[in-house]
Amino acid sequence: RRPSHSPRPRRPTHSPRSPGSSKSARMLLLLPLILPGDSSALATNTASVQNGASKMLLPVSRLSAGPMVVSPQVKLMRFLPKQHMVHSLRGGAISSSLADYSSAASDLFGNMRTPASIVGGAIVPMGFVLKEKVGEETQLTTALRRAYTLFAVASFTSQLISVVYSSIAVNKLAEIGAAPTKNVYELLSGTTYQLPWIGCNVHFFLGLFGVLCMVGIRVFLETGGKAFGAAAAFITASAFALMTSIMNRGVAAGDGTIRSSSNILSLVVQYIHLIMVEIARTRGVFQILSFGFALAALVSTFRMKKTAPGPA
C-alpha cells in the first residue's frame, strides 16, 4: 500500500542562471534595425536571443519577406560614446549619426582665451619701451631696443586678438549653436568657425614668440651683452626652438586622421589666405583697414634701418 503523502520531486521553477547572464543582459541594447526599402513594410517583431541558460527579448524589425537575423555586432554598441547614437545597421556595419559638438568647441576656445589673457597681462609690467643708456648706445643696442618695443606691441595686440576671436566664438556657439558634425574637428574646420579657430591659435603662438624675444633682448641689454647676457639669450633661443617643435607636431597631428596644415608656418599662411578670402567675400571696411595698417607697419619696420643712428 502506497503512503497517502508520498513526497513528489519538485520541478525547478527557473533554470539556473549563469554568472555572466545578468551582465550580458546589460550589454545588449534594445534598438530597432532600420533597413533600406519601403518604410511602410517594416513591422516590429521579437527575437529570442539565447545567452547561456537565460533568454532575453530583443525587438527587431523585419520586412514582409520574412524575419531578419540580429547581427552579433549589436553587442559592440556599448563601446560607443554617449553622443554617438546608432542610425542604422546595414550589411553588419555600424554607422554613427551626427552629434552637436558646440560644448566641446566652446571648451577648446576657452582653453585658448585664458592663457592668452594671462600672457597679455604679463607683458604690461615688462614695459613697452627700454630706456636708452647714455654713452653706451651702439648701433646693435639701438636696433635691439627698437626691436624690443616692436615685439612688446605686437605680442600684446596679438594676445588681445586671440582673446577677441575666442570670446566671440564662444558667444556665438552659445547663442546660435552649430550644425551636427561627426566630431569637433569637423566643426572647427567648417566655414563658420575655421577662421576664428585658426586665428586665435596663430595670434596666441605669435604672442608667445614675441614674449620670448622680449625676455632675451631685455636681459641681453641689461647685462651689457656680456657672457651672462649671451647665456640668457641662448636659453631663450632654446625655448623658442623647443616651442616651435611642439607646435609643429601638434599642428601636423590634426585630429589623428586629417590635418589642415603641416607646421606653424603653413598655419600662418593659411590664416592669411582665410583673411583675404573673408575680405573679398564681405568687403568689410575695418577688415580692409586692418590689413592695410598691418602692411604699413611692415614697411615702416623695414625702413627703420635707414634711420638708425651710427655708433655713439
Side-chain angles (χ1 to χ4, degrees), residues 132-146 304-312:
E132 179 180 352
K133 293 184 178 181
V134 181
E136 302 179 5
E137 195 75 10
T138 62
Q139 187 173 1
L140 176 61
T141 56
T142 300
L144 290 177
R145 183 168 49 81
R146 293 182 175 183
M304 276 197 319
K305 186 176 181 180
K306 298 181 180 179
T307 60

Side-chain angles (χ1 to χ4, degrees), residues 232-247:
F234 285 133
I235 292 175
T236 305
S238 175
F240 184 95
L242 181 59
M243 288 172 55
T244 304
S245 175
I246 296 172
M247 294 175 185

Side-chain angles (χ1 to χ4, degrees), residues 3-261:
S4 58
H5 299 283
S6 60
R8 294 182 180 180
R10 291 188 177 182
R11 181 178 300 177
T13 57
H14 61 277
S15 59
R17 180 178 298 179
S18 60
S21 60
S22 60
K23 182 177 179 181
S24 301
R26 292 193 300 268
M27 295 192 319
L28 288 178
L29 301 179
L30 303 179
L31 73 162
L33 304 180
I34 303 175
L35 298 178
D38 186 7
S39 59
S40 62
L42 294 176
T44 302
N45 191 14
T46 302
S48 178
V49 180
Q50 182 73 25
N51 188 355
S54 64
K55 293 183 179 181
M56 292 165 294
L57 296 181
L58 177 66
V60 298
S61 299
R62 62 170 181 169
L63 295 175
S64 57
M68 194 197 74
V69 179
V70 180
S71 172
Q73 294 183 353
V74 174
K75 297 181 180 179
L76 299 179
M77 294 307 301
R78 68 182 188 278
F79 296 108
L80 291 179
K82 293 182 179 180
Q83 63 267 24
H84 287 281
M85 299 302 296
V86 172
H87 180 68
S88 61
L89 297 177
R90 298 178 180 177
I94 300 176
S95 62
S96 59
S97 65
L98 306 179
D100 184 9
Y101 288 90
S102 300
S103 178
S106 298
D107 293 340
L108 290 177
F109 277 109
N111 291 341
M112 301 301 299
R113 178 174 58 180
T114 302
S117 303
I118 296 174
V119 174
I123 295 174
V124 177
M126 296 177 64
F128 294 92
V129 179
L130 291 178
K131 294 182 179 180
E132 179 180 352
K133 293 184 178 181
V134 181
E136 302 179 5
E137 195 75 10
T138 62
Q139 187 173 1
L140 176 61
T141 56
T142 300
L144 290 177
R145 183 168 49 81
R146 293 182 175 183
Y148 177 89
T149 301
L150 288 179
F151 282 128
V153 174
S155 300
F156 183 73
T157 55
S158 187
Q159 297 298 337
L160 288 182
I161 294 174
S162 180
V163 171
V164 171
Y165 264 135
S166 55
S167 299
I168 298 301
V170 169
N171 293 341
K172 294 298 104 180
L173 285 168
E175 296 170 356
I176 302 176
T181 54
K182 294 180 180 179
N183 50 49
V184 67
Y185 186 83
E186 182 178 351
L187 172 60
L188 297 177
S189 300
T191 56
T192 304
Y193 295 101
Q194 185 180 25
L195 178 59
W197 177 242
I198 294 180
C200 73
N201 278 272
V202 167
H203 283 286
F204 177 70
F205 294 154
L206 293 181
L208 285 181
F209 291 151
V211 171
L212 278 178
C213 293
M214 289 173 59
V215 172
I217 292 174
R218 189 182 186 92
V219 174
F220 183 82
L221 293 178
E222 292 294 333
T223 57
K226 298 180 181 180
F228 183 79
F234 285 133
I235 292 175
T236 305
S238 175
F240 184 95
L242 181 59
M243 288 172 55
T244 304
S245 175
I246 296 172
M247 294 175 185
N248 287 340
R249 290 198 301 268
V251 171
D255 69 337
T257 56
I258 303 174
R259 66 179 184 180
S260 58
S261 300

